[in-house]
C-alpha cells in the first residue's frame, strides 16, 4: 500500500507513464481533479507488486550454502573407516603370523614327542643302533633297584669260565654294588661279582664266597677279569691286566648250570628280579665278554692294554645281545679310545 499527497500544480512532476511502466502517471493533472484539493492521503493498492516482489527476490537470490556439518561427519566417518580397516589388516597379519608360529611350534613339539617315544621304546625294549657291534657302553647314573641291562643269550653248562669287562664306578658312598649276576632256577647266586658296604669285592659261585683284592674306588676305568675252573675250585682275579690274587676251593667240582639269566648292574635275589638298591652298581660297563675256559695271563694283558682284543666265545659283547631297562642307557663308546678322555 502506497500513500500519495496532493501536490501544487506548479511543482514539476517526474514522468513515470512511459511505455511499459505500471501504475499511475503523475504528469497528467486531470486525473487528480476528482480528488479533493485539501491535502489528504491517497491510498493505492498494488497487490501484484506486493505479491510478485518476494517471488522476484527469491528467484534472483543466490542459493543458500550447503551446511558444513554433514560434510564434516562424512570426512570423520571416512577417517574412522580407514583406521578400522588398517586395524583389521594388522590383526589379520598378526593372526597369520601366530598361526605360522603355532604350526612351527606344533611341528617342533611333535618332533620332540617322536624322540621321547623312541627313547621310551629303547627303555622298554633296549636299542640296537651301534656300529661296530662291540663299541658301546651301559650307563647306570644313580643307585636304584630298577635300572639294569639283561643279556638275551642263554648260557650253556660250564665247567670253567673267564669273565672280563671294563668298569667305571660312579658310587659316591661305600660299596661298588654288583657289576653282574647270573641266576638259575633254584639258585639266585650262581655267579655274582659284588662289593657291598665296607666289604671287599667278592666272587660268589653257587653261593660260595671268595674275597678278591680288587678296587674301583677312584671312579676311573678299570679292566677286570675273573677266571674260575670247577677242578679244585681254582680262581684268579686280574685288574688292568695284572694278576691281583688267586685261590682255590671255591665251589669245587660244581658245574655252572645252564639256561639262567645274566643281569648287568643288579644283584638277583630271585631268578631275574627282586633287586636291592643297596647292591646296585652305579657307573659304566663295557666289553663284557665270557669264555668257557680260563684265559692265560698274556691274553688278559692283551685285552687290558687294547693290543689283542678278544671276544668271548660263549658270550661276546654285541649290541643285539644286550637290552637295557628302567632308564639305563646304551651309548656308542670305544673303550680303548674313550677311557683316556673320560
Amino acid at each position: 500500500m502506497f500513500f500519495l499527497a496532493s501536490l501544487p500544480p506548479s511543482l514539476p512532476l517526474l514522468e513515470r507513464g512511459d511505455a511499459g511502466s505500471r501504475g499511475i502517471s503523475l504528469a497528467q493533472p486531470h486525473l487528480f481533479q476528482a480528488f479533493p484539493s485539501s491535502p489528504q492521503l491517497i491510498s493505492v493498492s498494488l497487490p501484484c507488486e506486493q505479491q510478485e516482489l518476494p517471488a522476484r527476490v527469491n528467484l534472483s537470490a543466490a542459493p543458500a550454502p550447503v551446511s558444513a556439518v554433514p560434510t564434516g561427519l562424512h570426512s570423520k566417518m571416512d577417517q574412522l573407516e580407514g583406521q578400522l580397516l588398517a586395524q583389521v589388516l594388522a590383526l589379520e597379519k598378526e593372526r597369520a603370523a601366530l598361526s605360522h608360529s603355532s604350526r612351527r611350534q606344533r611341528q617342533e613339539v611333535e618332533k620332540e614327542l617322536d624322540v621321547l617315544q623312541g627313547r621310551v621304546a629303547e627303555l622298554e625294549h633296549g636299542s640296537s643302533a651301534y656300529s661296530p657291534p662291540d663299541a658301546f657302553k651301559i650307563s647306570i647314573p644313580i643307585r636304584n633297584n630298577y635300572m639294569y641291562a639283561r643279556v638275551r643269550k642263554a648260557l650253556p653248562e660250564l665247567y670253567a669260565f673267564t669273565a672280563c669287562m671294563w668298569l667305571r664306578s660312579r658310587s659316591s658312598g661305600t660299596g661298588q654294588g654288583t657289576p653282574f649276576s647270573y641266576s638259575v632256577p633254584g639258585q639266585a647266586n650262581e655267579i655274582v661279582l659284588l662289593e657291598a658296604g665296607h666289604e671287599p669285592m667278592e666272587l660268589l659261585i653257587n653261593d660260595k664266597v671268595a674275597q678278591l683284592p680288587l678296587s674301583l674306588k677312584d671312579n676311573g676305568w678299570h679292566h677286570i677279569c675273573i677266571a674260575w675252573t670247577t677242578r679244585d675250585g681254582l680262581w684268579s682275579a686280574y685288574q688292568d691286566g695284572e694278576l691281583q690274587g688267586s685261590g682255590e676251593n671255591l665251589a669245587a667240582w660244581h658245574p655252572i648250570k645252564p639256561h639262567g639269566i645274566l643281569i648287568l648292574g643288579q644283584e638277583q635275589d630271585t631268578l631275574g628280579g627282586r633287586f636291592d638298591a643297596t647292591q646296585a652298581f652305579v657307573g659304566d660297563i663295557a666289553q663284557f665278554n665270557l669264555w668257557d675256559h680260563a684265559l692265560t695271563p698274556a691274553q688278559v694283558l692283551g685285552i687290558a692294554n687294547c693290543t689283542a682284543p678278544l671276544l668271548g666265545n660263549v658270550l661276546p659283547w654285541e649290541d643285539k645281545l644286550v637290552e637295557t631297562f628302567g632308564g639305563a642307557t646304551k651309548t656308542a663308546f670305544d673303550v680303548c679310545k674313550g677311557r683316556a678322555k673320560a
Side-chain angles (χ1 to χ4, degrees), residues 155-226:
L155 302 185
E157 186 176 49
L158 297 173
Y159 297 94
F161 72 84
T162 301
C164 293
M165 68 215 78
W166 283 94
L167 299 175
R168 180 172 61 176
S169 174
R170 296 292 193 182
S171 176
S172 58
T174 58
Q176 306 304 306
T178 308
F180 80 96
S181 63
Y182 176 67
S183 177
V184 296
Q187 179 53 270
N189 296 325
E190 187 71 356
I191 308 175
V192 181
L193 182 63
L194 168 68
E195 181 181 301
H198 296 282
E199 299 295 326
M201 188 168 288
E202 297 177 335
L203 174 63
L204 283 73
I205 295 181
N206 193 31
D207 227 7
K208 307 299 187 295
V209 182
Q211 293 185 347
L212 309 180
L214 304 177
S215 177
L216 304 175
K217 299 183 185 301
D218 62 357
N219 295 334
W221 280 104
H222 294 283
H223 187 255
I224 302 296
C225 278
I226 306 297

Side-chain angles (χ1 to χ4, degrees), residues 115-131:
V115 173
L116 290 175
Q117 289 175 352
R119 178 68 182 131
V120 169
E122 290 180 3
L123 294 178
E124 292 178 348
H125 307 293
S127 62
S128 55
Y130 306 106
S131 181

